[in-house]
Amino acid sequence: ILGPIARVQGHLSRQADWNLAVEDCVDLVAEFERGPIGTIHLDLLQRIAQRSCKLIGTDGTLEWDQQAQSVRRFLAATKSWEVLASSAGLDRNQMYLDELHHFFASIATRRESLNTLAGAVDTLRVIDAVRRSAASGSRCNVTNNSSGKAAA
């Protein structure tokens, strides 16, 4: 939606004494090639799962909230919220089963999966830039693949 990520500034920490080999809190600022800036907060300590995404633009706001099981938008012109989609009553586990079915069907039909290897590599490149940024305390460029796509 926002396009390739150009630069990141990251902060990684281990807040809990759980003897994990990974950080339990991650905060980052992502600068996208086309200009937007986004923030991401990952918190593995939180007791109640909370997942959401909010895109704010000049004409309004688009918001996905897993707890509310909805996608809604706020239009600045009308100053009102509108529910665009609701997943209330759906079995969330079915989503994972559908993903597996799609993956195996892609293999069987020799068609590219929606989640490509190149996309996974691009994600790892963003993670690498976040780690480099956290270690150096400065913004770091994301090393893009030959297609130039390290998108979010």
Side-chain angles (χ1 to χ4, degrees):
I1 292 175
L2 299 175
I5 297 172
R7 283 169 295 289
V8 294
Q9 172 80 45
H11 175 74
L12 311 174
S13 64
R14 291 188 178 120
Q15 298 297 316
D17 187 19
W18 291 347
N19 294 322
L20 296 177
V22 297
E23 297 79 10
D24 48 36
C25 286
V26 177
D27 288 287
L28 69 105
V29 176
E31 298 176 33
F32 294 85
E33 286 182 2
R34 290 185 284 178
I37 295 175
T39 61
I40 298 172
H41 173 71
L42 303 173
D43 181 352
L44 301 179
L45 299 173
Q46 198 165 220
R47 300 287 183 214
I48 299 171
Q50 180 181 352
R51 293 175 181 89
S52 63
C53 180
K54 186 183 289 187
L55 299 173
I56 302 170
T58 55
D59 295 330
T61 300
L62 187 63
E63 178 182 76
W64 166 73
D65 185 331
Q66 182 189 33
Q67 295 299 98
Q69 297 181 323
S70 68
V71 175
R72 61 187 192 146
R73 95 177 142 190
F74 178 84
L75 295 174
T78 62
K79 296 184 179 166
S80 62
W81 285 97
E82 170 188 16
V83 175
L84 301 177
S86 174
S87 60
L90 293 179
D91 178 10
R92 279 194 278 162
N93 191 53
Q94 188 61 45
M95 172 183 63
Y96 299 110
L97 295 173
D98 291 346
E99 268 188 31
L100 281 172
H101 176 74
H102 168 76
F103 178 73
F104 290 127
S106 296
I107 292 170
T109 61
R110 297 183 183 272
R111 291 191 180 143
E112 188 171 74
S113 172
L114 292 174
N115 300 309
T116 65
L117 179 59
V121 169
D122 289 342
T123 300
L124 289 173
R125 290 179 182 187
V126 171
I127 292 168
D128 177 61
V130 170
R131 290 191 181 284
R132 286 187 284 118
S133 170
S136 69
S138 61
R139 264 184 343 180
C140 286
N141 290 332
V142 174
T143 306
N144 293 319
N145 66 14
S146 58
S147 68
K149 295 179 183 174

